[in-house]
Every structure is written in C-alpha cells, then in structure tokens.
Amino acid sequence: MNTFFILCSPEFFLTVSALVLLLWQAFAKLNYKSVGVLVLADYLAAGVLLLPFVENQGIFYNGLYVWDKMAVLWKVFFLITGFLVSYISLESDSLIPKARAEFYILPLLTTAGMALLASVRDFILLFVGLEIVTVSFYVFVAFQREFPSALEAGMKYLIIGALASSFLVMGIAFVFGITGSTQFDEVARFAQKSPVNAPLILGLVFILVGLGFKASAVPFHVWTPDVYQGASTPITTFLAVGSKAAGFVVLLRILNLPFYDPGFQKHWIPLIVLMALLSVVFGNLAAIPQRNIKRMLGYSSISHGGFLLMGLSAHNKIGCAAVIYYFFAYLVAIFAAFLVIVLLEKNQPSGVSIKDFNGLYQKNSLMAWSMAFAMISLAGLPPLMGFFGKLMVFLAAWESGQHLLVIVGAICAAAGLYYYIGVVRAMFWTEPENVQRIDLSPATKVLLWILSIGSILLGFYAEPVIKLVGAVLS
C-alpha cells in the first residue's frame, strides 16, 4: 500500500480534516456556518480522492484491512450519508440554541469510523471502528443538553450502548480464546478444520447481540424510539441511516467470512430469522398508534431492520445484494423525510406531530410531494425504489426456504401502510389550522427534487442499480 493510497482513503482524509478544522476554529473562531460549508467541501473532496482507487483490490496491514469493490461501495454510501447529514445540520441551525462548530465537525470522525468498518477483516479493528462511531453518537444524542429530552435520550443510548459493547468484547474474547486469532480468515480456517464447539458458538451469539444494538433489532431495540425522538433531527437521521448501515456492513462481513462455515450457519441463521420476525412484527405494530413523527419513524426503523435481516437470513449472494440495494432505497427516502421534518421544525420548534403535517400541500407543495414519495417508498409501494428493495429481500428469503418469515413480513408491510399513508392523508386531504407559506432556499429545493426524482427513477430503472450491486459482490 503506497503512501498516496493511504492519504486518499476516506478514513484518513476525513480524520485529518476533522482535526485541522477543530484546531482552526479553536484559534481562528470561525463562524459555525463557515465550518459547516467546509465540512461539506471535505466530503466532496473525499469522494473525488476515492475515484482513482475504485478498481483497486487488496488486503493490507497483515490481513487487518481489505480494499475491494464492496468496501468502496459502502465508503461511497457513508460519504453520501455524512454529506446529507451535514447539510441538514446547516438547515436546522436555528433549532440548536448553543450551536457550536463541533456539531458540524464531529460527523467527519463518525463517517471515518464507518468507512473503516467497510474494510475490516479483524475483530479488533472491528471493535475500534464501532467504538469510534458509537462514542461520537454518545456526544451527538445529548448535544442539546439544555433540553431534558435530549439528556434522557443520551443517557439511554449511553447505558444500552455500553452494554452492547460489553457483549461484543466478550464475544470477541471467546472467539480469540478458542481460535487463537482475531482475524476473519484465521477464524474461518479454524472452523473448516475443527468442529465448532459451544464456547465458539457462545462467542458468535455475544457478537450478534452487540451488533443487534446497531441494527436496532428486537430485542435490542429499546433505545430506538426514545433516542430518535429526543435527539436533534440531523442526529436522528444519522442514526437511522449511518449507524444502522454500520451495523449491517459488519454483519455482512462476518457472516460471509469467519462465520460462513455450515457449522456456524446452522446456529446463526435461526437467530437472525427470529430477530427479523420479531422486528417486523413489533416495529410495524408499535408504529401505528404513534403521533410524533420522529417516534413513529423510530419504530419504523425497527421494522426496516427486520426486513434487512431477512436478506441476511438468506445467506446467499441474492440476499447480500438485496441488503445493499435496500439500504440505498432507505437512504433516499429517510433523508427526504427528515429534511422535510427539519423544515417544519423551524416553523414549529415545539416538535413535529402528525397533525403538524395537516395541509402541508397548501404551505409548500414541493415539501408535501417529497414527503409523500418518501412515505410511499418506505411503505414499499410500487413503482418507487423502496418497493424493489422489499421485493428483493422477500425473493431472497423465499428462495432460501424462509417461507413463514416472508409471509409474516408481507402482512406486516401491509400493516405499515396505515401509518405511512396517514402522513400523506394529513398533507393532502386535511385542512391546516393556518395557511402560512414555507419558503425554501434554492439549494434545499434542488436537494428535495434530487431525492424525490431519484426515488422514482431508481424504482422505474432498478435493473442498472441491481446489476451494479451484483458486479460489486462478484
């Protein structure tokens, strides 16, 4: 690995950029909006620096770090996520009374940790990457410490996150104790040569518990609705997309290399199926009575975690492709939804409930249509991108023999229509208490158009995206 390649990797570039900006703003007292713009520029620069190395392949640092097409794809995903979160943060500046430059700089470090997770091939590096991400979110969730709800959310996230990290470390310790290595390749070779024993299975279970927290899958979901509601909206968005994706990219790595052996599969597949089943049932049913939009999307996130686990339970290439495609569909819809929520919060600082969407079409038609497309895509209705994401997950699980899981998932997806379409009904068919126009900046209008059109076009023309994902996995 040459020096230029190291300097251009997103994790190195973003980390250095974050440190430089922290020192610069500390001494130069930069305006936080200026810092936010510089952060957006850093994300764009990281994406440009990534381009020359897209076709690179290799394993580096004595097997700790891999650079392959899947790693590149996830790094691009995390860069897009970080960029959009930073933009939403700038839009919501008036909602953060004590806005500091750190609020805009720290996502660079979080994204660097996520980019590192895309390339891990060792359990120690996996833990380091996850902790970079998790500790950042401990700060983010409780950042608005003047609000009791944010402090409560931060405390819940800290306690449950620490517990999940403990399970993860214990699982890694068991794996190392039995196999004598923390590298994915060595664990896979051990499983091929030796029978899988009880302590090793216990280590696998503990690791799944730790990662289940990241995926906000039942029964490791208890933090999700409270943290989604209590955290500031940009951070809720980051949790909904970035944190969840970080957990799943690690699951994709470990379940398809160190724990891919049939001796492991017969133990982890039933656990993944059970978590998926509980998540789609509980997430959708619990979201129905919710009136706070962020809390509703928190429970919805639990159900989406269940659908993603369906793809993992297929333990085949189709399932992996379905998970990756589903995440890109989820990214487009979630960011459109939360951007609209931020714009509403600026006019309704006390919080956004479903009734606050009443008559949104009369206040700003672009916001209403963007939110409608986001809700329809999350509900999985054709022809939007979310429909094909759910379809791919269902097909992968059905082909692997998980028929009951697919049937229950389809019923729960239908139940989810109630709360998603309820938001659409409020925007278009319910009269508002007052018709006060909401003005948008040109950049926000362009972003809403891109997210809305992207969800439609990638639904109508899903085949090129699916082929791209297939090429990455090949």
Side-chain angles (χ1 to χ4, degrees):
M1 180 184 283
N2 60 51
T3 305
F4 184 65
F5 178 70
I6 296 173
L7 294 175
C8 291
S9 65
E11 40 270 64
F12 183 87
F13 179 81
L14 294 177
T15 300
V16 172
S17 298
L19 295 176
V20 169
L21 283 175
L22 281 170
L23 291 172
W24 190 8
Q25 68 85 24
F27 290 103
K29 302 297 181 184
L30 295 176
N31 180 276
Y32 66 88
K33 284 193 174 181
S34 301
V35 172
V37 172
L38 289 172
V39 167
L40 293 177
D42 281 332
Y43 280 116
L44 292 174
V48 171
L49 291 174
L50 189 63
L51 291 177
F53 304 102
V54 168
E55 297 297 328
N56 280 29
Q57 302 281 323
I59 298 174
F60 307 98
Y61 304 121
N62 295 320
L64 297 179
Y65 183 96
V66 62
W67 187 281
D68 55 15
K69 290 181 179 179
M70 190 168 93
V72 171
L73 182 66
W74 282 111
K75 289 175 196 293
V76 170
F77 179 92
F78 291 131
L79 288 175
I80 294 171
T81 301
F83 180 89
L84 292 175
V85 166
S86 297
Y87 183 83
I88 291 177
S89 298
L90 284 172
E91 272 290 348
S92 64
D93 63 319
S94 62
L95 304 175
I96 306 170
K98 295 182 179 179
R100 301 176 188 84
E102 291 87 348
F103 187 79
Y104 303 93
I105 298 172
L106 281 177
L108 290 172
L109 294 174
T110 313
T111 310
M114 293 173 180
L116 181 63
L117 288 174
S119 293
V120 295
R121 278 179 78 89
D122 183 276
F123 283 107
I124 301 300
L125 194 62
L126 181 157
F127 178 73
V128 171
L130 271 180
E131 286 307 292
I132 291 172
V133 175
T134 306
V135 171
S136 299
F137 279 119
Y138 292 158
V139 177
F140 284 139
V141 172
F143 191 85
Q144 294 176 284
R145 57 181 181 268
E146 59 273 13
F147 297 121
S149 59
L151 288 176
E152 179 187 353
M155 184 60 67
K156 288 180 178 177
Y157 191 78
L158 173 62
I159 293 171
I160 300 174
L163 182 64
S165 296
S166 302
F167 274 102
L168 182 64
V169 171
M170 184 62 72
I172 293 172
F174 270 99
V175 170
F176 175 74
I178 300 300
T179 65
S181 177
T182 56
Q183 292 194 3
F184 292 176
D185 290 336
E186 293 299 322
V187 175
R189 290 192 192 100
F190 181 90
Q192 291 171 358
K193 295 177 182 178
S194 308
V196 176
N197 52 43
L200 198 53
I201 294 301
L202 188 59
L204 167 60
V205 172
F206 282 163
I207 289 171
L208 289 179
V209 169
L211 296 177
F213 165 80
K214 285 291 174 190
S216 60
V218 176
F220 317 110
H221 66 286
V222 291
W223 62 274
T224 309
D226 293 329
V227 172
Y228 274 46
Q229 183 177 355
S232 61
T233 303
I235 301 310
T236 302
T237 315
F238 214 178
L239 282 167
V241 181
S243 180
K244 187 181 290 291
F248 272 94
V249 70
V250 172
L251 282 170
L252 282 170
R253 286 289 187 192
I254 67 172
L255 297 181
N256 285 289
L257 187 55
F259 298 134
Y260 188 75
D261 186 85
F264 283 118
Q265 287 187 11
K266 67 181 182 182
H267 294 283
W268 65 255
I269 289 175
L271 291 176
I272 294 292
V273 169
L274 179 62
M275 287 165 61
L277 189 66
L278 294 174
S279 297
V280 295
V281 172
F282 176 81
N284 281 293
L285 293 182
I288 290 174
Q290 303 303 321
R291 300 273 62 88
N292 181 282
I293 188 72
K294 288 169 67 177
R295 195 171 185 85
M296 185 201 83
L297 289 174
Y299 283 109
S300 163
S301 175
I302 296 171
S303 73
H304 286 291
F307 290 122
L308 288 160
L309 287 170
M310 257 191 226
L312 286 181
S313 72
H315 61 90
N316 56 27
K317 184 177 176 181
I318 299 173
C320 292
V323 169
I324 296 172
Y325 182 88
Y326 196 110
F327 258 115
F328 276 92
Y330 187 65
L331 177 146
V332 173
I334 281 292
F335 273 107
F338 276 107
L339 180 53
V340 172
I341 291 171
V342 162
L343 297 170
L344 268 182
E345 278 183 320
K346 292 171 74 172
N347 295 273
Q348 190 86 21
S350 59
V352 178
S353 64
I354 303 296
K355 68 178 182 180
D356 294 322
F357 285 84
N358 290 351
L360 180 60
Y361 180 75
Q362 300 177 41
K363 300 176 183 179
N364 189 294
S365 59
L366 177 57
M367 286 174 59
W369 281 113
S370 297
M371 191 68 175
F373 288 138
M375 293 295 102
I376 292 169
S377 184
L378 289 172
L381 292 177
L384 272 68
M385 195 178 180
F387 166 75
F388 291 97
K390 278 195 174 65
L391 181 63
M392 287 180 66
V393 166
F394 287 156
L395 289 175
W398 187 270
E399 288 187 13
S400 67
Q402 308 295 346
H403 299 157
L404 176 62
L405 180 58
V406 173
I407 292 170
V408 173
I411 294 171
C412 291
L417 291 174
Y418 176 83
Y419 56 86
Y420 286 124
I421 301 303
V423 179
V424 178
R425 181 179 62 82
M427 292 188 296
F428 290 93
W429 295 300
T430 306
E431 287 297 320
E433 293 181 4
N434 61 79
V435 183
Q436 182 179 355
R437 290 286 303 171
I438 299 176
D439 296 322
L440 307 179
S441 67
T444 300
K445 289 180 182 178
V446 170
L447 182 55
L448 285 174
W449 274 107
I450 290 173
L451 292 172
S452 301
I453 294 174
S455 186
I456 299 169
L457 288 180
L458 293 175
F460 276 110
Y461 301 102
E463 188 177 356
V465 182
I466 295 170
K467 285 183 177 179
L468 172 64
V469 172
V472 167
L473 292 173
S474 65

